[in-house]
Amino acid sequence: MSRRWLDWAIAAGVAASLVVAGHPATGPGYALLAASGLALVARRTAPIAVLAATGLLALGYQATGADVPVIAFLFAVYATMRAGHRVVTLAGSVLMLATLPLAALLSPRDLTAYEAFGQTRDVLQIAWLIAAAAAGEALRQAERRADEAERTREETARRRAGEERLHIARELHDSLTHQISVIKLQAEVAVHLARKRGEDVPEPLLVIRDAGREAARELRATLEALRDDDKNPPHGMDDVPALVERARSNGLDARLTIEGRHDDVPAAVDRTAYRIVQESLTNIARHAVAATAQVHIDCRPDAVVIKVDDDGTATPRNPEPGVGLLGMRERVTALGGHLRAAPRTEGGFSVQAELPVVQP
């Protein structure tokens, strides 16, 4: 049975029991009793509205002289408490207890004040209210704990999957590093022997040697990132000045400008900003043949913007992006940011990344 049909079955059952318990009653009294029960159909989707409706209808049929327990109102108290509306439930219950005697006094049975309060105890006892509210709160807490347990299981599964991927990546890296080192060594030996014998070195052999060197450098850089764990805390923007100083010691006239405060920048943004500057300066040293580089970091309230420009030999053509650029783009995209890496019209190359501080 679907939940909707179950709600209708419960509502119809409560309405029928109220109508039977209200015999003999007037025509308006029967209508109010039935409506009070049927209102429970919406107790899941609109618990506060159902609480108000069942309360008003209970007052109505008490005023007609139908001395019937307010069962539908108790169901509404349970549903409202289960939905987490504690204050509303408490206020509605207190208001109901206060106004039921007034409804009894308005009934055609001509009750005294003492008899009206006695009838109130009969149709709505405080113990019933407490039990209904306690049941709703207990079920809400149980559902919340179940949801938290499910989230914990999902987070644990994601973490284990990430650790397994990292383990596979490290194993693959170590294997590739060994094989590429062998290829590079064999190519360099072949080039050396050919030149020693005075022979022309075949161009494909030189390409293999140079490709092996480049692949070995890329794999070493990847290994540094893969093995960046808690024993070696990840770098952030506080470490960028050391990066720039290292580039200067290698002969590149690198200048750094940092605007704004980055004390409260999220850790993921902080690490990514460092990696972008690191990869940009590495690419300049390897490929750009640049004399100068400008690193500018702007820490705004909503985003961190990193821009690295150089005056190297990049041309306006659009070559295939290397592993470094792809890695930067993946990091930036994972944070919901944007990366632009392209040659500058005035010469050189520019990398600009925008990392949102508030994550989506």
Side-chain angles (χ1 to χ4, degrees):
M1 180 183 293
S2 68
R3 177 175 292 185
R4 188 64 177 170
W5 282 106
L6 179 62
D7 290 342
W8 273 106
I10 292 175
V14 173
S17 65
L18 288 173
V19 170
V20 172
H23 179 77
T26 62
Y30 283 126
L32 293 172
L33 287 166
S36 179
L38 294 176
L40 295 176
V41 171
R43 72 185 189 280
R44 298 181 192 271
T45 57
I48 296 177
V50 171
L51 182 72
T54 54
L56 291 173
L57 290 167
L59 293 175
Y61 66 69
Q62 292 296 325
T64 65
D67 185 9
V68 180
V70 290
I71 300 173
F73 181 76
L74 293 175
F75 272 90
V77 166
Y78 162 81
T80 310
M81 184 63 80
R82 181 179 176 182
H85 305 295
R86 299 176 180 174
V87 176
V88 174
T89 306
L90 177 61
S93 300
V94 172
L95 188 61
M96 190 68 174
L97 288 170
T99 54
L100 267 176
L102 298 178
L105 287 173
L106 295 175
S107 69
R109 291 188 298 170
D110 196 20
L111 301 175
T112 65
Y114 179 79
E115 291 171 334
F117 277 99
Q119 179 177 321
T120 299
R121 288 194 300 270
D122 292 338
V123 301
L124 179 60
Q125 294 187 13
I126 295 179
W128 296 353
L129 275 175
I130 294 175
E137 177 65 14
L139 187 56
R140 188 181 74 86
Q141 293 290 345
E143 291 173 342
R144 183 178 62 83
R145 287 193 293 269
D147 291 341
E148 289 178 354
E150 182 65 25
R151 284 196 297 270
T152 301
R153 284 193 294 270
E154 291 176 355
E155 291 172 359
T156 301
R158 285 196 296 269
R159 186 180 69 250
R160 288 177 178 173
E163 291 173 352
E164 183 63 22
R165 285 194 296 269
L166 182 59
H167 173 72
I168 293 172
R170 286 173 173 168
E171 292 293 333
L172 181 61
H173 171 274
D174 292 340
S175 175
L176 287 175
T177 299
H178 173 72
Q179 299 299 331
I180 290 176
S181 297
V182 172
I183 294 172
K184 180 173 70 72
L185 178 61
Q186 294 293 333
E188 288 178 346
V189 169
V191 170
H192 174 73
L193 292 176
R195 288 175 174 170
K196 186 176 181 180
R197 291 193 295 264
E199 301 173 354
D200 293 332
V201 180
E203 184 64 25
L205 189 58
L206 294 174
V207 172
I208 292 173
R209 183 198 62 181
D210 295 339
R213 290 176 177 175
E214 181 63 23
R217 285 195 295 266
E218 294 286 355
L219 284 170
R220 280 195 297 269
T222 303
L223 180 61
E224 179 185 352
L226 289 175
R227 291 180 175 168
D228 192 7
D229 51 24
D230 292 336
K231 296 180 180 179
N232 299 296
H235 296 291
M237 281 187 278
D238 287 336
D239 302 298
V240 169
L243 273 181
V244 175
E245 185 60 33
R246 194 178 310 139
R248 290 176 62 84
S249 66
N250 291 331
L252 179 66
D253 184 10
R255 304 299 174 95
L256 171 65
T257 305
I258 299 179
E259 297 182 5
R261 297 174 56 86
H262 59 273
D263 302 338
D264 56 349
V265 169
V269 174
D270 195 39
R271 292 194 299 267
T272 301
Y274 174 87
R275 291 298 185 191
I276 289 171
V277 176
Q278 180 189 45
E279 188 62 40
S280 299
L281 292 177
T282 301
N283 286 341
I284 291 172
R286 291 178 182 174
H287 311 298
V289 194
T292 64
Q294 299 289 335
V295 179
H296 183 268
I297 301 177
D298 186 6
C299 300
R300 304 172 183 173
D302 59 338
V304 173
V305 179
I306 305 106
K307 188 175 183 182
V308 182
D309 296 333
D310 67 71
D311 63 348
T313 57
T315 59
R317 56 194 179 92
N318 187 25
E320 285 293 319
V323 175
L325 282 179
L326 289 175
M328 280 195 289
R329 193 174 301 280
E330 289 174 355
R331 289 176 182 270
V332 173
T333 303
L335 294 177
H338 306 282
L339 177 73
R340 180 183 178 275
R344 299 193 303 163
T345 55
E346 62 269 31
F349 201 80
S350 177
V351 174
Q352 182 169 341
E354 181 174 341
L355 309 174
V357 171
V358 180
Q359 297 301 303

